Coordinates of all heavy atoms in Angstrom, one line a residue:
L1 N 85.4 93.7 94.7 CA 84.9 93.5 96.1 C 85.3 92.1 96.6 O 85.7 92.0 97.7 CB 83.5 93.8 96.2 CG 82.8 93.6 97.5 CD1 83.5 94.6 98.6 CD2 81.3 93.9 97.5
E2 N 85.2 91.1 95.7 CA 85.5 89.8 96.1 C 87.1 89.6 96.4 O 87.5 89.0 97.3 CB 85.1 88.8 95.1 CG 85.3 87.3 95.6 CD 84.9 87.1 97.0 OE1 83.7 87.5 97.4 OE2 85.6 86.4 97.7
H3 N 87.9 90.4 95.6 CA 89.3 90.4 95.8 C 89.6 91.0 97.2 O 90.5 90.5 98.0 CB 90.1 91.1 94.8 CG 90.1 90.5 93.4 ND1 90.6 89.1 93.3 CD2 89.9 90.9 92.2 CE1 90.5 88.8 91.9 NE2 90.0 89.9 91.3
L4 N 89.0 92.1 97.5 CA 89.1 92.8 98.8 C 88.7 91.8 99.9 O 89.3 91.9 101.0 CB 88.3 94.1 98.8 CG 88.9 95.2 97.9 CD1 87.9 96.3 97.9 CD2 90.2 95.7 98.3
R5 N 87.6 91.2 99.7 CA 87.1 90.2 100.8 C 88.2 89.1 100.9 O 88.5 88.7 102.1 CB 85.8 89.7 100.4 CG 84.6 90.7 100.7 CD 83.4 90.1 100.4 NE 82.3 91.1 100.7 CZ 81.2 91.2 100.0 NH1 80.9 90.5 98.9 NH2 80.3 92.1 100.3
S6 N 88.7 88.6 99.9 CA 89.7 87.6 99.9 C 91.0 88.1 100.6 O 91.5 87.3 101.4 CB 90.0 87.1 98.5 OG 91.0 86.1 98.5
D7 N 91.3 89.3 100.3 CA 92.5 89.9 101.0 C 92.2 90.0 102.5 O 93.1 89.7 103.3 CB 92.8 91.3 100.4 CG 93.9 92.0 101.1 OD1 95.0 91.4 101.2 OD2 93.6 93.0 101.7
A8 N 91.0 90.4 102.9 CA 90.7 90.5 104.4 C 90.8 89.1 105.0 O 91.3 89.0 106.1 CB 89.3 91.0 104.5
R9 N 90.2 88.1 104.3 CA 90.3 86.7 104.9 C 91.8 86.2 105.1 O 92.1 85.7 106.1 CB 89.5 85.8 104.1 CG 87.9 86.0 104.2 CD 87.1 84.9 103.5 NE 87.2 85.0 102.1 CZ 86.4 85.7 101.3 NH1 85.4 86.3 101.8 NH2 86.5 85.7 100.0
S10 N 92.6 86.5 104.0 CA 94.0 86.2 104.0 C 94.7 86.9 105.1 O 95.6 86.3 105.8 CB 94.6 86.4 102.7 OG 95.9 86.2 102.7
W11 N 94.5 88.1 105.2 CA 95.2 89.0 106.3 C 94.8 88.5 107.7 O 95.6 88.3 108.6 CB 94.8 90.4 106.1 CG 95.7 91.3 107.0 CD1 97.0 91.3 107.1 CD2 95.3 92.4 107.8 NE1 97.5 92.3 107.9 CE2 96.4 93.0 108.3 CE3 94.0 93.0 108.0 CZ2 96.2 94.1 109.2 CZ3 93.9 94.1 108.8 CH2 95.0 94.6 109.4
A12 N 93.5 88.1 107.9 CA 93.1 87.6 109.1 C 93.8 86.3 109.4 O 94.1 86.0 110.6 CB 91.5 87.4 109.2
A13 N 93.9 85.5 108.4 CA 94.6 84.2 108.7 C 96.1 84.4 109.1 O 96.6 83.8 109.9 CB 94.6 83.3 107.4
Q14 N 96.7 85.5 108.4 CA 98.1 85.8 108.8 C 98.1 86.3 110.2 O 99.1 85.9 111.0 CB 98.6 87.0 107.9 CG 98.8 86.6 106.4 CD 99.1 87.6 105.5 OE1 99.9 88.6 105.9 NE2 98.5 87.6 104.3
V15 N 97.1 87.1 110.6 CA 97.1 87.6 112.0 C 97.0 86.5 113.0 O 97.7 86.4 114.0 CB 95.9 88.6 112.2 CG1 95.6 88.9 113.6 CG2 96.2 89.9 111.4
R16 N 96.1 85.5 112.7 CA 95.9 84.3 113.6 C 97.3 83.5 113.7 O 97.6 83.2 114.7 CB 94.8 83.4 113.0 CG 93.5 84.0 113.2 CD 92.9 83.8 114.6 NE 91.5 84.2 114.6 CZ 91.0 84.6 115.7 NH1 91.6 84.7 116.8 NH2 89.7 85.0 115.7
T17 N 97.9 83.3 112.5 CA 99.2 82.6 112.5 C 100.2 83.3 113.3 O 101.0 82.7 114.1 CB 99.6 82.4 111.0 OG1 98.6 81.6 110.3 CG2 100.9 81.5 111.0
M18 N 100.3 84.6 113.1 CA 101.2 85.4 113.8 C 101.1 85.3 115.4 O 102.0 85.2 116.1 CB 101.1 86.9 113.4 CG 102.1 87.7 114.0 SD 103.6 88.0 113.0 CE 102.9 88.6 111.5
G19 N 99.8 85.2 115.7 CA 99.5 85.0 117.2 C 100.0 83.6 117.7 O 100.5 83.5 118.8
E20 N 99.9 82.6 116.8 CA 100.4 81.3 117.1 C 101.9 81.3 117.2 O 102.5 80.4 117.9 CB 99.9 80.3 116.1 CG 98.4 80.1 116.1 CD 97.9 79.3 114.9 OE1 98.8 78.7 114.1 OE2 96.7 79.2 114.7
L21 N 102.6 82.3 116.7 CA 104.0 82.3 116.7 C 104.6 82.8 118.0 O 105.8 83.0 118.1 CB 104.6 83.1 115.5 CG 104.5 82.5 114.2 CD1 104.9 83.4 113.1 CD2 105.4 81.2 114.0
S22 N 103.6 83.1 118.9 CA 104.2 83.6 120.2 C 105.0 82.7 121.0 O 105.8 83.1 121.8 CB 102.9 84.1 121.0 OG 102.2 83.0 121.4
D23 N 104.9 81.4 120.7 CA 105.7 80.4 121.3 C 107.3 80.7 120.9 O 108.1 80.3 121.7 CB 105.4 79.0 120.9 CG 105.5 78.7 119.4 OD1 105.5 79.7 118.6 OD2 105.6 77.5 119.1
L24 N 107.5 81.4 119.8 CA 108.9 81.7 119.5 C 109.4 82.7 120.4 O 110.6 82.7 120.9 CB 109.0 82.4 118.1 CG 108.9 81.4 116.9 CD1 108.9 82.2 115.6 CD2 110.0 80.4 116.9
S25 N 108.6 83.6 121.0 CA 109.0 84.6 121.9 C 109.4 83.9 123.3 O 110.3 84.2 123.9 CB 107.8 85.6 122.3 OG 107.6 86.3 121.1
L26 N 108.5 82.9 123.7 CA 108.9 82.1 124.8 C 110.1 81.3 124.7 O 111.0 81.3 125.6 CB 107.7 81.1 125.2 CG 106.4 81.7 125.5 CD1 105.3 80.6 125.6 CD2 106.5 82.6 126.7
L27 N 110.4 80.7 123.5 CA 111.6 80.0 123.2 C 112.8 81.0 123.3 O 113.9 80.6 124.0 CB 111.6 79.4 121.9 CG 112.8 78.5 121.4 CD1 113.0 77.3 122.3 CD2 112.6 78.1 120.0
G28 N 112.7 82.1 122.8 CA 113.8 83.1 122.8 C 114.0 83.6 124.2 O 115.2 83.8 124.6
A29 N 112.9 83.9 125.0 CA 113.2 84.2 126.4 C 113.9 83.1 127.2 O 114.8 83.6 128.0 CB 111.8 84.5 127.0
K30 N 113.6 82.0 126.9 CA 114.3 80.9 127.7 C 115.8 80.8 127.3 O 116.6 80.5 128.0 CB 113.7 79.5 127.4 CG 112.3 79.3 128.1 CD 111.7 78.0 127.7 CE 110.4 77.7 128.3 NZ 109.7 76.5 127.8
A31 N 116.1 81.2 126.1 CA 117.4 81.1 125.5 C 118.2 82.5 125.9 O 119.4 82.6 125.6 CB 117.5 81.0 124.0
G32 N 117.4 83.4 126.4 CA 118.1 84.7 126.8 C 118.2 85.6 125.7 O 118.9 86.6 125.7
V33 N 117.4 85.5 124.6 CA 117.4 86.3 123.4 C 115.9 86.9 123.4 O 115.1 86.3 122.9 CB 117.7 85.6 122.1 CG1 117.7 86.5 121.0 CG2 119.1 84.9 122.3
A34 N 115.8 88.2 123.9 CA 114.6 88.8 124.0 C 113.8 89.0 122.7 O 112.7 88.8 122.6 CB 114.7 90.0 124.8
Q35 N 114.6 89.2 121.7 CA 114.0 89.5 120.3 C 114.2 88.4 119.3 O 114.0 88.6 118.2 CB 114.6 90.8 119.8 CG 114.3 92.0 120.6 CD 115.0 93.2 120.1 OE1 116.0 93.2 119.4 NE2 114.4 94.4 120.4
F36 N 114.3 87.2 119.9 CA 114.4 86.0 119.1 C 113.2 85.9 118.0 O 113.5 85.7 116.8 CB 114.5 84.8 119.9 CG 114.5 83.5 119.1 CD1 115.8 83.1 118.5 CD2 113.4 82.6 118.9 CE1 115.9 81.9 117.8 CE2 113.6 81.4 118.1 CZ 114.8 81.2 117.6
A37 N 112.0 86.1 118.4 CA 110.8 85.9 117.5 C 110.9 86.8 116.4 O 110.7 86.4 115.3 CB 109.6 86.0 118.3
Q38 N 111.2 88.1 116.7 CA 111.2 89.1 115.7 C 112.4 88.9 114.7 O 112.2 89.0 113.4 CB 111.4 90.5 116.2 CG 110.1 91.0 117.0 CD 110.0 90.5 118.4 OE1 111.0 90.1 119.0 NE2 108.8 90.6 118.9
L39 N 113.5 88.4 115.2 CA 114.7 88.1 114.3 C 114.3 86.9 113.4 O 114.6 86.9 112.2 CB 115.9 87.8 115.2 CG 116.5 88.9 115.9 CD1 117.6 88.4 116.9 CD2 117.2 89.9 114.9
E40 N 113.7 85.9 114.0 CA 113.3 84.7 113.2 C 112.3 85.1 112.1 O 112.4 84.6 111.0 CB 112.8 83.7 114.2 CG 112.5 82.3 113.4 CD 113.7 81.6 113.1 OE1 114.8 81.7 113.6 OE2 113.6 80.7 112.2
M41 N 111.3 85.8 112.5 CA 110.3 86.3 111.5 C 110.9 87.1 110.5 O 110.6 87.0 109.2 CB 109.1 87.0 112.2 CG 108.2 86.1 113.1 SD 106.9 86.9 113.8 CE 107.5 87.4 115.3
A42 N 111.7 88.1 110.8 CA 112.3 89.0 109.9 C 113.1 88.3 108.9 O 113.0 88.5 107.7 CB 113.1 90.1 110.6
G43 N 114.0 87.4 109.4 CA 114.8 86.6 108.4 C 114.0 85.6 107.5 O 114.3 85.5 106.3
S44 N 112.9 85.1 108.1 CA 112.1 84.1 107.2 C 111.2 84.9 106.2 O 111.0 84.3 105.2 CB 111.2 83.4 108.2 OG 111.9 82.5 109.1
W45 N 110.8 86.1 106.6 CA 109.9 86.8 105.6 C 110.5 87.9 104.8 O 109.8 88.7 104.1 CB 108.7 87.3 106.4 CG 108.0 86.3 107.2 CD1 107.8 85.0 107.0 CD2 107.3 86.5 108.4 NE1 107.1 84.3 107.9 CE2 106.7 85.2 108.9 CE3 107.1 87.6 109.3 CZ2 106.0 85.1 109.9 CZ3 106.3 87.4 110.4 CH2 105.8 86.2 110.7
S46 N 111.9 88.1 105.0 CA 112.6 89.1 104.3 C 112.0 90.5 104.6 O 111.8 91.3 103.7 CB 112.6 88.9 102.8 OG 113.2 87.7 102.5
V47 N 111.8 90.8 105.9 CA 111.3 92.1 106.3 C 112.3 92.6 107.4 O 113.0 91.8 107.9 CB 109.8 92.1 106.8 CG1 108.9 91.7 105.7 CG2 109.7 91.3 108.1
A48 N 112.2 93.9 107.7 CA 113.0 94.4 108.8 C 112.5 93.9 110.1 O 111.3 93.5 110.3 CB 112.9 96.0 108.8

């Protein structure tokens, strides 16, 4: 149960950080690359 609670807290922190990464979307929009944030995140985290 403590592991599950720790996972919940960690996931919430990831969600908050992901929200803070919205500035990448603004940066990409200014550069004319609509999906810049997703490309940057995908490359950094080795996900699709």
Side-chain angles (χ1 to χ4, degrees):
L1 180 58
E2 187 47 45
H3 289 310
L4 291 169
R5 287 182 176 145
S6 177
D7 177 58
R9 290 187 290 268
S10 174
W11 192 47
Q14 291 172 43
V15 167
R16 289 277 187 210
T17 302
M18 187 88 59
E20 294 169 5
L21 290 172
S22 63
D23 62 337
L24 283 176
S25 296
L26 297 174
L27 180 64
K30 287 179 184 175
V33 182
Q35 296 177 334
F36 177 78
Q38 289 82 19
L39 290 169
E40 185 71 22
M41 288 184 269
S44 297
W45 304 331
S46 301
V47 298

